[in-house]
Amino acid sequence: MFAIGALLAWGWRSPTFRDAEGFFLGEVILPFGAVVGLTVLWAGRRAGWGAGAIWAALAVLGQAAVLTVIQAGPRVWYQHLRLGADLFETVRPVAVAVLVLQAVVVAWAGRDVAAAAVRALLGGGRLRTLLIVATFVLTAATLSRDLVFYAGELVVAALLQALQLWTVALAAARVPATVADRWGARLDRAPPGEGWVVALSLVVVAVTAALNAFSYEATPHVPDELVYLIHARTFAAGLIDLPLPPVPAGFELDLMTVDPDRWFSPVPPGWPAVLAIGVALGAPSWVNPVLSGLAVWLTARVVRLVYPDARVAWWSAVLLALSPWFLFQGMNYMTHAVSLVAALAAAFCVGRTVRGGAAAWLLPAGLAIGMVGLIRPFEGLLVAVVLGLWTLFSGPRGPVTRIVRTSVLAAGTLAMTAVQFPYNRALTGHPLRFPIMDYTDRMYGPGSNALGFGPDRGLGWVGLDPLPGHGLPDVLINANLNLFQLNIELLGWSVGSLLGLLALVGVGRWVKRDWAVFGAAAWVAGAHSFYWFAGGPDFGARYWYLMIVPLIVLTVRGILEVSTRWHPGRVGLATAILLVGTVALFTPWRAVDKYHHYREMRPDVRRLAEAAGFGEDALVLVRGQLDPDYQSAAYLNPIDLEGPGPLYAWDRSPEVRRALLDAYPDRAIWLVDGPTVTGRGFELVDGPIRDRTGLEADIAR
């Protein structure tokens, strides 16, 4: 956590950090990894790790070298290895040399470790071995339009994962037995009481808030986030819709429904209603961080209700708190953190009842499920099915009692869900007509955003939805994209984040609880097969986000089960080395390389307003594209588009500019060029302009 804070604090004050679009870290991460590796070597030698400290340092350096040869960056794309001519630019040849040297020395020194691993893998049977190897390889890289490149990348990426796994295993194997015994005691011990999870939750709040401030710069980066903030501000003002802008074309936004006399956000109301609390308190950037801390606390409580082994709850909370996927969802303004918290709250209440608590817990459980539905309607259905089955088939054995309890759960769910119907009616004219479906039907065609299969599914996003319509090929492509992102983002491990789950498959000692947890995760993935979109590269496999806790739990179970076959201390050491790489390398690399100025969304306009003093009577004309140029400024507008305060409009054409000048005759004009115009960041062109003659002459020309 200190490494993340130190790097981001340095970057925040560094002009390089602000101006290099995040790519600079591709050159810095290797020397930074060398520093971290030397730190690990020093700490390991002091702790008596012996030769294991050397191999642990090499594992950290190897991960930094791999990150150096990855092309990720702040654009809307999936990360890939650099396997072309650019592999030999800047410091990347040094990274390649590090990886080659690592492969040579590990192959020379770790033959016994590799032989033992192969024997253990083959000991599980051919079918299980094939499943593990296939998953390990196929999730190492994701699809490319060039299938030859994809095949090559798949092989190279899998070999790099295997090399890092070999190095980490070698480090753990070379630590003296006495030291390993001490680590084994740590793995087997869970802290008593509740103080540890509260402290861990507070750390998560602080880290995600810091990421929002330094990496995200308290600025919405995805069009959805911009609309969520506008929606929340609308609710905070006691409204559900807004007056139509005087020049709609000058204030156009994605995901805003335009009616003849009003406009409004069509997204479900649950998250904007929660975010409105932060808006009312003047701290919308703190809402998801606080929710993320609450999610860690709830995870520990829910897992403790499911598993009698306290270690599973403890380590699940720790791994969740360190998960890059989890931390970046806590940093942003998206819906997924609050949906997870509502689902966990419902699971906690159901678990209390199932474990002998009062049936009264099922009413708030149902309300929480209904809240998930108000946030992400499809996820509400998924949670209702999972928790409904848990209530129906667990707890008291009497069928009548179980049915009654399930009915109470359903009643609470329906009571909360019913809030949606008058809201729908107010916005669409029909209680069963959802505003978001009405919006997509208008914009992209009837049924384009519905569940199911057919040629009419999809919104035509060619770069993110490669095939028209939705069919079996789309299901397979979406699964490939999401599984790859899980393997990268879930834990940020150099060996692949799904290794813990694969270890549990390899050991084969599953209990009923494991199957139930796995079933919940599989249900989330399988149900989303009926939806046309994978979720895109924004914040990992975000449409599958509800499976994060089940996957973390199964990872912990895999680690604990492997520790019964191998020395538990060596398993704990290997896990610790992987987590050092996550905290010190992957998370800060991702925070800076991808999410700083992600999608070219920048806070420059806000800074220009402060530096130049736009004033409360300013009309700022932003030149460039809708996304990112105008949308980087639009969230700063007053919701009534009147003031007081600067007003930001999209200077998209001479006709729109003329209409804006006519609509706001008393405002001082400022001209700002966006990044797609400047090729850099936002730049102030002119202002304040009181004499509009020149502007009108420009329009005439």
Side-chain angles (χ1 to χ4, degrees):
M1 297 299 178
F2 174 77
I4 299 174
L7 183 62
L8 292 177
W10 167 78
W12 179 61
R13 298 184 62 85
S14 166
T16 306
F17 184 99
R18 294 176 182 271
D19 299 335
E21 296 295 333
F23 287 108
F24 89 96
L25 198 62
E27 300 179 13
V28 172
I29 193 66
L30 187 61
F32 186 72
V35 172
V36 175
L38 289 173
T39 304
V40 169
L41 176 62
W42 173 80
R45 299 292 286 187
R46 284 181 59 87
W49 287 18
I54 300 173
W55 299 112
L58 182 59
V60 171
L61 181 61
Q63 182 173 9
V66 172
L67 296 178
T68 302
V69 299
I70 288 174
Q71 182 180 23
R75 305 294 191 266
V76 186
W77 57 35
Y78 296 90
Q79 74 174 49
H80 289 279
L81 291 173
R82 298 177 185 271
L83 299 180
D86 59 348
L87 181 61
F88 301 100
E89 298 174 356
T90 64
V91 300
R92 289 188 280 275
V94 179
V96 173
V98 168
L99 292 170
V100 171
L101 179 63
Q102 180 185 6
V104 171
V105 297
V106 170
W108 170 75
R111 289 168 292 177
D112 58 327
V113 174
V118 170
R119 286 195 299 271
L121 183 62
L122 295 176
R126 293 182 180 178
L127 183 60
R128 188 176 295 170
T129 299
L130 179 62
L131 176 62
I132 293 172
V133 172
T135 304
F136 185 85
V137 173
L138 293 175
T139 57
T142 195
L143 286 165
S144 300
R145 291 190 181 276
D146 184 342
L147 295 182
V148 174
F149 177 88
Y150 170 57
E153 184 183 18
L154 204 60
V155 172
V156 174
L159 288 174
L160 289 175
Q161 281 189 173
L163 174 60
Q164 304 312 315
L165 176 57
W166 198 354
T167 310
V168 170
L170 180 59
R174 296 297 186 259
V175 170
T178 53
V179 176
D181 288 339
R182 291 199 299 268
W183 277 84
R186 293 172 185 172
L187 184 65
D188 278 338
R189 185 174 62 246
E194 293 289 328
W196 63 268
V197 72
V198 173
L200 191 61
S201 299
L202 292 175
V203 169
V204 166
V205 173
V207 170
T208 50
L211 286 169
N212 177 277
F214 295 117
S215 174
Y216 226 49
E217 298 181 289
T219 301
H221 285 61
V222 180
D224 307 50
E225 295 177 302
L226 171 61
V227 172
Y228 293 140
L229 281 168
I230 293 173
H231 203 163
R233 291 167 65 193
T234 304
F235 281 167
L239 305 170
I240 64 171
D241 57 18
L242 299 169
L244 191 67
V247 186
F251 299 95
E252 180 180 328
L253 292 173
D254 289 332
L255 280 175
M256 287 292 286
T257 296
V258 179
D259 280 348
D261 60 349
R262 63 175 182 169
W263 70 335
F264 57 85
S265 166
V267 298
W271 168 232
V274 175
L275 187 57
I277 299 172
V279 169
L281 295 174
S285 298
W286 281 86
V287 177
N288 266 343
V290 170
L291 288 169
S292 298
L294 183 57
V296 171
W297 182 83
L298 283 169
T299 293
R301 301 300 300 269
V302 170
V303 176
R304 192 69 182 89
L305 289 170
V306 176
Y307 286 89
D309 188 347
R311 296 177 304 166
V312 181
W314 157 242
W315 288 112
S316 294
V318 170
L319 291 192
L320 182 67
L322 297 178
S323 164
W325 193 22
F326 176 74
L327 293 175
F328 292 128
Q329 290 290 7
M331 169 189 76
N332 63 30
Y333 300 92
M334 301 290 275
T335 61
H336 305 284
V338 68
S339 181
L340 178 65
V341 167
L344 287 170
F348 173 71
C349 294
V350 169
R352 289 293 299 265
T353 300
V354 167
R355 294 293 175 255
W361 281 98
L362 292 174
L363 185 58
L367 295 174
I369 294 172
M371 187 62 188
V372 178
L374 292 179
I375 299 163
R376 300 183 65 84
F378 189 44
E379 290 186 358
L381 173 63
L382 303 186
V383 174
V385 170
V386 170
L387 297 185
L389 291 174
W390 192 13
T391 305
L392 188 60
F393 293 105
S394 300
R397 297 189 176 276
V400 174
T401 302
R402 291 185 180 184
I403 291 172
V404 169
R405 289 187 168 188
T406 307
S407 299
V408 173
L409 182 70
T413 302
L414 292 174
M416 180 62 78
T417 303
V419 173
Q420 182 78 55
F421 302 136
Y423 183 80
N424 289 351
R425 185 181 183 87
L427 294 183
T428 68
H430 195 286
L432 299 181
R433 180 68 173 166
F434 286 76
I436 188 63
M437 302 307 289
D438 182 70
Y439 173 84
T440 53
D441 284 356
R442 288 192 200 185
M443 296 292 294
Y444 302 102
S448 55
N449 196 41
L451 294 172
F453 302 94
D456 59 338
R457 296 295 186 266
L459 307 186
W461 297 343
V462 177
L464 297 176
D465 182 27
L467 301 178
H470 188 53
L472 180 59
D474 301 88
V475 172
L476 297 176
I477 290 172
N478 290 348
N480 173 279
L481 296 171
N482 281 328
L483 286 170
F484 165 72
Q485 291 199 101
L486 285 180
N487 196 46
I488 300 299
E489 306 269 1
L490 176 64
L491 291 167
W493 284 357
S494 60
V495 300
S497 297
L498 297 178
L499 183 66
L501 175 58
L502 294 180
L504 184 60
V505 172
V507 170
R509 292 178 53 182
W510 290 54
V511 297
K512 280 186 178 180
R513 296 176 180 86
D514 297 334
W515 286 110
V517 172
F518 178 78
W523 167 240
V524 171
H528 276 93
S529 297
F530 292 91
Y531 191 60
W532 63 273
F533 188 38
D538 305 330
F539 305 105
R542 62 188 183 92
Y543 280 18
W544 288 7
Y545 191 61
L546 285 182
M547 68 165 64
I548 188 171
V549 171
L551 290 177
I552 290 287
V553 170
L554 293 174
T555 298
V556 171
R557 286 282 298 122
I559 292 170
L560 294 177
E561 286 297 327
V562 169
S563 71
T564 65
R565 303 291 184 91
W566 197 27
H567 192 292
R570 301 195 189 283
V571 174
L573 278 165
T575 305
I577 294 168
L578 292 173
L579 291 176
V580 167
T582 298
V583 173
L585 297 178
F586 183 89
T587 300
W589 171 76
R590 181 65 93 208
V592 177
D593 182 69
K594 181 171 183 177
Y595 290 122
H596 183 68
H597 295 168
Y598 181 53
R599 301 171 67 111
E600 295 189 68
M601 296 284 285
R602 311 164 66 101
D604 298 12
V605 175
R606 188 174 69 222
R607 292 175 181 148
L608 285 175
E610 295 170 356
F614 284 170
E616 294 189 349
D617 67 338
L619 175 62
V620 184
L621 302 181
V622 181
R623 298 191 290 197
Q625 299 177 4
L626 173 63
D627 181 11
D629 304 273
Y630 175 59
Q631 294 198 137
S632 289
Y635 79 99
L636 300 170
N637 274 333
I639 59 172
D640 61 359
L641 297 179
E642 291 292 340
L647 195 61
Y648 301 91
W650 183 18
D651 191 15
R652 62 190 299 180
S653 69
E655 293 76 18
V656 170
R657 178 187 283 193
R658 184 186 300 277
L660 288 167
L661 295 178
D662 291 343
Y664 298 99
D666 299 324
R667 285 185 173 263
I669 307 301
W670 299 74
L671 300 179
V672 171
D673 283 348
T676 64
V677 177
T678 65
R680 299 176 295 277
F682 284 84
E683 294 181 1
L684 180 61
V685 177
D686 198 2
I689 302 172
R690 298 288 180 180
D691 182 358
R692 301 187 174 200
T693 306
L695 293 173
E696 293 172 353
D698 286 344
I699 294 173
R701 286 198 296 268

